[in-house]
Amino acid sequence: MHDLIPFIPGSISNVWGSIPYLMPEIYLTILFIVVLVTDLIFGRNSEKLCRIIACAGILLVIHKDYQQIQLLFASGQVNGSFLFSEMLLLNRIAIDFKFIIDALAFVLVLYFEWDNRLSSDRKGLSDLYSIVIGSILGLHLMTMAVNLLSIYLAIEMVSIASYLMVAYRSDNAFSTEAGLKYVLFGAASSALMLYGISLLYGLSGSLSLFSGNLLPGLIQANPLAVSFAMVLVLIGMGFKLSFVPMHFWVPDVYEGASTPVTAWLSTLPKIAAFALLINFLRPFIYYTQWNAFNFRLTLEVIGIITMITGNFAAVLQRNVKRMLAYSSIGHTGFALMAIVTYSSTGITALTYYLAVYALANIGALALATYFANVTDADDVDAYKGLGLKYPAASVCFVIILISLTGLPVTAGFTGKVFVFSAVYGVYQQDHNLWLLFLMITGALTTVVSLFYYIKIPLNLFLKRTEILKNTQEKSYNIIILSVIICFLLVFIGIWPDMLFKLL
Amino acid sequence: MNILTLLIFTPILFGLIIAILPSSLRSSFKYITLLATLVQLGMSIWIYCNFKTGAAFGGINQESQFQFMQKLPWINLNLGSMGKMQIDYFVGIDGLSIALLVMTSFVLVIAALASWEIKSNLKGFFVLFLLLDMAVIGVFCSLDFFLFYIFYELMLLPLYFLIGMWGGARREYAAIKFFLYTLFGSVFMLLVMIGLYLSVKDPATGNHTFNMVQMMNPANYQQGSVFAVLSHQTIFGISARAIGFVILFIAFAIKVPVVPLHTWLPDAHVEAPTPVSIILAGILLKVGGYGIIRICIGIFPEIAHADAYWLGMLGVISILYGALNALAQHDLKRLIAYSSISHMGFVLLGIASLTTEGLSGAVMQMVSHGFLSTMLFFLAGVIYNRVHDRGITHFRGLATQMPKYTAFIMVAFFASLGLPGFSAFIGESFSLIGAFKSSSVNGLLPYWMAICGSVGILLGAAYFLWTLQRMFFGQVNLKGGSVWKTALTDLNIREKITLLPLALMVLVLGLMPSLVFDKINDSIVTFIHFLQLK
């Protein structure tokens, strides 16, 4: 104990020095407490207030994110700054991801209330807002974590929040079942990941990815043991990314959870997990002597399998949310393609692709909510002939699906072009056949994805039906949201520079 | 404001007007659309008249020789280590595009006139129509591959809905089949496009570029890049450039369509409403032919030279297979659809000869087929609108029932089967001359291909004349009896206004082919010269 005393002042000043770099997260923590307390004080009537506070708070956090960029520039650490003795790494990529996460979270917090099934829950939505803020905090940490311990903690934080969100409608058996499934899968995979982390620690004696003995230690260890541990760690991340074979929970959970929660799960944790994967892979890619475990090949193979499985399974689905669940698996596979390049172009393309995908996916699920609200339609078949009755929503749906398919003139198309050109650029240098296979699979699955995405416009516009249920009410908010999303998708599709200037 | 840019984006402006107007004004939508297409036709005629000819305006691989150019920086992304991503809004035309551009504008007017038959969801129909209008014009004008691709893909979605929502009984099947077929071709085209982009550097700026004109110059390819001309890269042991050529060719061959890839066409043409059939047959098929000339052969000339035999072979197969199938049809629209396949075979045969005559013939045949197929589909639509039946055997003796209609049908049929004096004769004969000449000039195509092509003309005469005899001559005998007899009135004034200019056009082009040849000749000569340089 006495030996550590000389280090204490240094550690304290390190912690103290790191705090300015953590302002968004500190604001999130305060926001979490404020929302929670508001909920407690005002009880049942607090819903609207909590929502306003949460939204305003997120806007403030976005502002703080922006200040971080200037902070990095001002302190001359353009390449990033390690915080809390290399627990976290704040760099430009992390800030970009935080921007995307916060902006999407803002939209989603607005959208929670518009889902009739979710907002009719007895509990009210106040609790959900505090859970959501907690989850955003976890997501922020995920984008910055560079220590195996902080990685695990961040993932768990997001997971626990997600469990609560999935099972939020506890009076609904379907939702509870989904929640339970999610918890079981999540617990198992995080246990496996923890096991993997402890193996890595045991083999190398270090937890920090960027310094210490982790990589040199692992190189000297038995490659089989290292590979085993790495696979376990990847399983933990794969659970959040939902790549094959860690995707089994996705369809059931996405279908069972309320639609806004599905929109949340299919976008934000996935984006954060990609940020985490970027951070996690970096030391291994740049450490030239690393040869114990071939991350690239593993991720390439996983990417191909994920694209094929996700897209082909989606073809068979009739439930809209289930179909979008499988399609989001397919999108994970496509995004993995960008990550295996591990070039700066690839990362930029990945960020763009994920932002655009998330925007479109939220739009699609919001419209699924809309149709569920007005006609109780859950299945594609139930959309028959609705297109002419609800033209605004249906036209938006078509544009959003076109973007998800990746056809011009939408942002989804430019995203695809950027990913392809990043992969091509790397292929041109190293002639790795797997990259070529990835691109061919990506192109083929685009055609497959059209086949299932088009089912929605097909039912909306092409099929006709005599029986049209009378509408109970209209959800103008969702229409406004989806019109804005459509406009953004087309606008970014034509002028992608605009988004890149922000990133 | 650049005239081409105006030409491309005029329809979308009118489309926006239609989208904003309330549905209570729906009866005015068709007039707005017609006005849009007429404005376009006026502009393209102005372009045609001001289009300069001469050796200094050959175009093809000389950027400075294109006319009505506009080049604006569009997407400029700084990609760090990989330099800048540079995409231009780059439009311009040369002899290859001008004839097709004028033909397209003309056909679009006819299609707008044919849209009078559309009765439901008028707003949706005309907005999609004008969106499609913008896309097809854009395809013929773009010189940047990225821009080209965007317009190329943008055609798909409006067409899907136009076929799917206003089509016949099997419209869903036809629409999705068309969409999937074309998308299958074009996603792989996207991969080749990106490969080309990363292989080519603009000598002026040093950035990678999507500029198609720059892609034609072998010197612009970077050493060691996938599609570099000199470095002979391979993929799976096959030359990368050959793979690139084949993928692009398949993408465009689906559009043309070339025979093993044609099966979407009869379904789509038959199920589509008349105006959409007109656009499909009159314009979209030409996008395929245009793409093969400008992009496939222009960018991969040495591969085209090496594979010309197979291109010619596919052309001959299309001619014969299409014609034989047309003989066997009982549905008038299906017959026209298969005759389209046969006629577009001549285009491919002419292209494959890689001679001046062959290529001029191919372009001429595309222009002529644009007018003729428009006329044929419009005529088929006239009957269908009156009695909702198109069975060839269900009609007999229409000549006495509808004499004016029969007159136009005879013009269209005789022009299509290649009667001298009409445009198709010029197109087909020049294609065949090219094919005949090829064996002595460059030795690419054997004589038997040209001979088989001529047999195709004979078959064409057979199915057209046989249909004429079955449907129009003899005693009046209709399947629907007296109900049909009252329904089958002769052409009304709108239909006559539509058909007369078409009939005149095919006649004028047949008598004065120089109207087309004068404008395209410099480009064709430049193109052939460029191919020999390679």
Side-chain angles (χ1 to χ4, degrees):
Chain A
M1 186 65 203
H2 284 286
D3 302 342
L4 293 175
I5 286 176
F7 294 105
I8 287 176
S11 303
I12 289 177
S13 69
N14 181 300
V15 169
W16 197 246
S18 302
I19 283 179
Y21 294 94
L22 205 66
M23 284 324 272
E25 289 72 26
I26 291 171
Y27 271 79
L28 275 171
T29 319
I30 297 170
L31 182 62
F32 175 65
I33 295 167
V34 170
V35 175
L36 199 67
V37 170
T38 318
D39 179 21
L40 285 177
I41 293 174
F42 292 92
R44 284 199 166 276
N45 311 320
S46 63
E47 203 167 289
K48 204 161 201 134
L49 196 59
C50 284
R51 188 158 170 245
I52 294 168
I53 294 175
C55 286
I58 293 175
L59 287 180
L60 191 63
V61 172
I62 292 178
H63 177 65
K64 290 287 155 194
D65 289 339
Y66 179 68
Q67 284 183 336
Q68 279 192 321
I69 301 179
Q70 293 160 330
L71 191 64
L72 277 187
F73 267 108
S75 60
Q77 293 161 305
V78 185
N79 286 326
S81 160
F82 285 104
L83 313 178
F84 301 109
S85 18
E86 307 198 351
M87 275 290 174
L88 302 175
L89 168 66
L90 181 71
N91 58 10
R92 194 59 216 267
I93 300 173
I95 297 174
D96 287 347
F97 272 98
K98 282 195 230 175
F99 260 129
I100 297 173
I101 288 169
D102 293 337
L104 295 172
F106 178 76
V107 175
L108 283 165
V109 168
L110 284 177
Y111 156 45
F112 279 127
E113 196 210 46
W114 299 336
D115 187 87
N116 286 354
R117 294 182 193 171
L118 182 62
S119 58
S120 62
D121 189 77
R122 276 184 298 112
K123 282 197 293 294
L125 291 178
S126 313
D127 296 341
L128 193 61
Y129 293 130
S130 43
I131 299 171
V132 159
I133 302 293
S135 175
I136 300 176
L137 179 56
L139 295 168
H140 269 229
L141 293 176
M142 269 172 91
T143 61
M144 298 193 293
V146 287
N147 182 301
L148 291 176
L149 208 59
S150 57
I151 287 177
Y152 181 75
L153 285 176
I155 289 187
E156 275 308 281
M157 191 159 179
V158 175
S159 292
I160 290 170
S162 309
Y163 302 151
L164 294 173
M165 286 164 77
V166 171
Y168 197 77
R169 288 167 66 207
S170 48
D171 49 348
N172 177 303
F174 211 40
S175 172
T176 322
E177 184 198 325
L180 190 62
K181 266 184 196 159
Y182 193 36
V183 172
L184 288 177
F185 266 107
S189 67
S190 77
L192 288 175
M193 184 179 184
L194 196 58
Y195 185 40
I197 289 176
S198 54
L199 276 178
L200 290 180
Y201 182 64
L203 291 169
S204 67
S206 169
L207 283 172
S208 172
L209 285 171
F210 282 87
S211 64
N213 194 33
L214 185 69
L215 273 86
L218 289 180
I219 287 172
Q220 278 152 24
N222 181 348
L224 197 64
V226 175
S227 304
F228 181 63
M230 283 299 173
V231 168
L232 292 180
V233 174
L234 278 182
I235 284 177
M237 291 183 194
F239 175 71
K240 280 269 155 283
L241 288 170
S242 65
F243 57 59
V244 179
M246 295 304 300
H247 69 288
F248 290 105
W249 60 276
V250 174
D252 289 340
V253 172
Y254 282 18
E255 191 186 348
S258 4
T259 317
V261 174
T262 308
W264 180 279
L265 286 181
S266 62
T267 52
L268 296 189
K270 195 174 266 194
I271 293 174
F274 270 106
L276 184 68
L277 194 60
I278 293 172
N279 281 339
F280 179 75
L281 287 180
R282 175 168 305 170
F284 298 100
I285 301 282
Y286 287 118
Y287 199 76
T288 43
Q289 290 131 33
W290 176 258
N291 54 3
F293 183 73
N294 194 341
F295 278 106
R296 245 180 133 173
L297 185 64
T298 317
L299 290 176
E300 278 160 355
V301 174
I302 288 176
I304 291 176
I305 297 174
T306 307
M307 276 191 268
I308 292 176
T309 315
N311 284 300
F312 277 91
V315 173
L316 308 171
Q317 306 307 320
R318 304 225 64 84
N319 182 293
V320 175
K321 275 160 78 184
R322 231 179 145 75
M323 192 178 90
L324 289 171
Y326 275 110
S327 93
S328 89
I329 297 174
H331 281 282
T332 302
F334 199 89
L336 279 175
M337 189 187 321
I339 233 176
V340 296
T341 64
Y342 216 89
S343 56
S344 62
T345 331
I347 305 291
T348 320
L350 176 73
T351 325
Y352 181 89
Y353 184 83
L354 285 175
V356 165
Y357 150 76
L359 197 61
N361 214 35
I362 289 174
L365 284 161
L367 285 164
T369 292
Y370 177 81
F371 283 109
N373 281 354
V374 294
T375 59
D376 263 335
D378 281 327
D379 284 3
V380 184
D381 296 335
Y383 284 6
K384 251 181 215 163
L386 292 182
L388 301 175
K389 199 159 178 218
Y390 306 103
S394 307
V395 169
C396 287
F397 217 152
V398 173
I399 296 175
I400 286 169
L401 291 173
I402 285 301
S403 179
L404 281 173
T405 317
L407 296 180
V409 199
T410 54
F413 169 70
T414 31
K416 239 169 208 172
V417 171
F418 293 144
V419 172
F420 275 138
S421 59
V423 179
Y424 229 111
V426 177
Y427 169 76
Q428 202 147 277
Q429 281 155 20
D430 65 5
H431 293 278
N432 180 347
L433 266 189
W434 283 102
L435 290 178
L436 200 62
F437 284 130
L438 267 174
M439 284 189 287
I440 293 173
T441 321
L444 265 183
T445 47
T446 303
V447 184
V448 177
S449 72
L450 176 77
F451 194 75
Y452 58 82
Y453 282 132
I454 204 81
K455 271 188 198 166
I456 290 175
L458 173 81
N459 280 291
L460 285 175
F461 287 108
L462 270 59
K463 301 244 187 202
R464 294 184 192 148
T465 176
E466 297 79 43
I467 333 141
L468 271 182
K469 271 189 220 154
N470 265 330
T471 156
Q472 296 133 7
E473 58 183 296
K474 293 228 172 188
S475 316
Y476 289 108
N477 293 327
I478 295 185
I479 300 273
I480 294 167
L481 173 69
S482 47
V483 167
I484 293 173
I485 289 180
C486 282
F487 173 76
L488 278 177
L489 288 175
V490 174
F491 184 79
I492 300 173
I494 301 179
W495 290 283
D497 305 38
M498 298 296 168
L499 188 60
F500 273 99
K501 267 181 203 146
L502 283 178
L503 292 180
Chain B
M1 201 65 183
N2 180 280
I3 184 83
L4 285 182
T5 307
L6 276 178
L7 187 67
I8 297 171
F9 294 106
T10 304
I12 201 73
L13 280 179
F14 282 89
L16 280 179
I17 293 172
I18 291 181
I20 291 166
L21 286 179
S23 293
S24 51
L25 295 172
R26 68 173 77 82
S27 55
S28 69
F29 291 165
K30 54 189 175 191
Y31 295 106
I32 296 176
T33 310
L34 184 62
L35 180 66
T37 52
L38 282 173
V39 169
Q40 252 187 330
L41 181 63
M43 280 195 269
S44 58
I45 289 175
W46 186 87
I47 292 175
Y48 177 85
C49 295
N50 286 284
F51 186 85
K52 296 190 220 39
T53 52
F57 298 100
I60 307 293
N61 64 339
Q62 298 296 329
E63 203 175 307
S64 56
Q65 296 185 356
F66 280 86
Q67 300 182 48
F68 307 104
M69 269 194 299
Q70 184 171 34
K71 194 174 190 177
L72 297 171
W74 174 23
I75 299 175
N76 273 305
L77 297 175
N78 205 341
L79 293 178
S81 61
M82 288 173 66
K84 270 174 96 180
M85 184 165 217
Q86 182 195 345
I87 302 171
D88 293 324
Y89 171 80
F90 183 23
V91 291
I93 50 172
D94 63 359
L96 279 184
S97 356
I98 177 73
L100 292 170
L101 202 62
V102 178
M103 184 274 289
T104 301
S105 316
F106 196 97
V107 168
L108 282 166
V109 175
I110 306 294
L113 281 168
S115 305
W116 255 246
E117 66 165 79
I118 302 294
K119 298 281 184 270
S120 60
N121 300 324
L122 292 178
K123 183 181 265 191
F125 182 87
F126 287 109
V127 169
L128 289 169
F129 181 98
L130 289 168
L131 190 62
L132 180 63
D133 181 344
M134 176 191 82
V136 290
I137 298 280
V139 161
F140 288 123
C141 294
S142 358
L143 292 176
D144 187 275
F145 208 154
F146 191 84
L147 190 66
F148 175 89
Y149 189 84
I150 284 196
F151 284 126
Y152 187 82
E153 290 269 273
L154 201 57
M155 298 188 300
L156 300 185
L157 197 71
L159 267 173
Y160 172 78
F161 286 110
L162 286 173
I163 299 174
M165 289 177 72
W166 290 273
R170 289 166 69 236
R171 59 181 189 278
E172 288 164 23
Y173 170 76
I176 191 69
K177 190 172 177 182
F178 161 77
F179 204 161
L180 285 178
Y181 242 108
T182 326
L183 189 69
F184 179 81
S186 57
V187 285
F188 285 98
M189 181 157 99
L190 177 65
L191 287 184
V192 174
M193 177 179 98
I194 294 171
L196 281 168
Y197 161 73
L198 288 170
S199 303
V200 177
K201 279 211 164 166
D202 188 342
T205 59
N207 293 329
H208 288 298
T209 177
F210 279 106
N211 188 327
M212 284 200 273
V213 184
Q214 304 289 358
M215 284 177 183
M216 292 184 191
N217 184 354
N220 289 341
Y221 286 82
Q222 246 183 317
Q223 269 300 319
S225 56
V226 174
F227 290 114
V229 182
L230 296 171
S231 56
H232 300 294
Q233 298 277 346
T234 57
I235 300 173
F236 308 124
I238 308 166
S239 150
R241 281 181 71 84
I243 290 184
F245 175 82
V246 169
I247 288 174
L248 288 183
F249 179 74
I250 289 176
F252 292 122
I254 289 172
K255 269 259 148 69
V256 170
V258 173
V259 151
L261 306 167
H262 68 286
T263 57
W264 63 270
L265 182 129
D267 289 308
H269 280 41
V270 169
E271 298 306 326
T274 307
V276 181
S277 293
I278 288 175
I279 295 180
L280 266 174
I283 304 172
L284 287 212
L285 307 192
K286 280 74 202 174
V287 172
Y290 174 76
I292 290 178
I293 301 179
R294 161 103 57 215
I295 296 177
C296 273
I297 301 184
I299 296 179
F300 299 103
E302 81 285 5
I303 313 284
H305 200 265
D307 294 343
Y309 180 84
W310 297 106
L311 297 190
M313 179 76 120
L314 286 170
V316 170
I317 292 174
S318 296
I319 294 173
L320 295 179
Y321 183 88
L324 289 171
N325 260 291
L327 269 176
Q329 297 310 316
H330 299 290
D331 180 317
L332 186 57
K333 244 182 162 179
R334 258 190 124 74
L335 177 127
I336 303 170
Y338 276 106
S339 88
S340 282
I341 298 176
S342 179
H343 286 144
M344 290 306 285
F346 285 101
V347 174
L348 193 58
L349 185 64
I351 294 172
S353 76
L354 297 183
T355 55
T356 320
E357 290 83 353
L359 272 168
S360 311
V363 175
M364 185 68 193
Q365 172 75 352
M366 285 201 273
V367 173
S368 137
H369 183 252
F371 292 122
L372 280 171
S373 60
T374 304
M375 201 167 166
L376 287 169
F377 275 114
F378 189 88
L379 286 163
V382 166
I383 285 210
Y384 185 73
N385 276 339
R386 288 179 176 38
V387 294
H388 294 280
D389 196 323
R390 293 183 302 250
I392 293 174
T393 48
H394 299 165
F395 300 90
R396 206 169 160 72
L398 281 178
T400 43
Q401 179 76 21
M402 306 165 78
K404 291 185 192 114
Y405 178 78
T406 311
F408 278 111
I409 270 272
M410 280 173 73
V411 171
F413 276 14
F414 280 112
S416 292
L417 62 80
L419 195 73
F422 290 107
S423 57
F425 170 75
I426 310 285
E428 283 168 14
S429 57
F430 269 75
S431 298
L432 289 175
I433 291 172
F436 270 117
K437 196 181 151 196
S438 163
S439 59
S440 58
V441 179
N442 51 20
L444 293 174
L445 302 181
Y447 280 125
W448 63 262
M449 281 192 188
I451 294 167
C452 286
S454 323
V455 173
I457 296 187
L458 202 65
L459 287 173
Y463 59 77
F464 275 126
L465 292 176
W466 193 30
T467 310
L468 202 61
Q469 183 222 327
R470 280 185 293 174
M471 283 182 82
F472 294 91
F473 299 151
Q475 288 295 313
V476 179
N477 184 7
L478 302 168
K479 186 182 166 228
S482 56
V483 182
W484 279 25
K485 198 157 184 172
T486 46
L488 283 170
T489 50
D490 212 343
L491 298 175
N492 63 28
I493 186 78
R494 174 180 67 87
E495 287 156 349
K496 273 187 251 175
I497 290 176
T498 318
L499 287 166
L500 199 62
L502 282 170
L504 282 177
M505 275 314 284
V506 291
L507 193 64
V508 167
L509 286 182
L511 297 176
M512 287 197 292
S514 58
L515 283 178
V516 172
F517 285 146
D518 278 355
K519 297 287 180 188
I520 67 172
N521 194 40
D522 298 308
S523 291
I524 302 282
V525 170
T526 317
F527 193 66
I528 297 295
H529 185 65
F530 160 71
L531 290 180
Q532 278 153 0
L533 279 180
K534 29 172 205 313

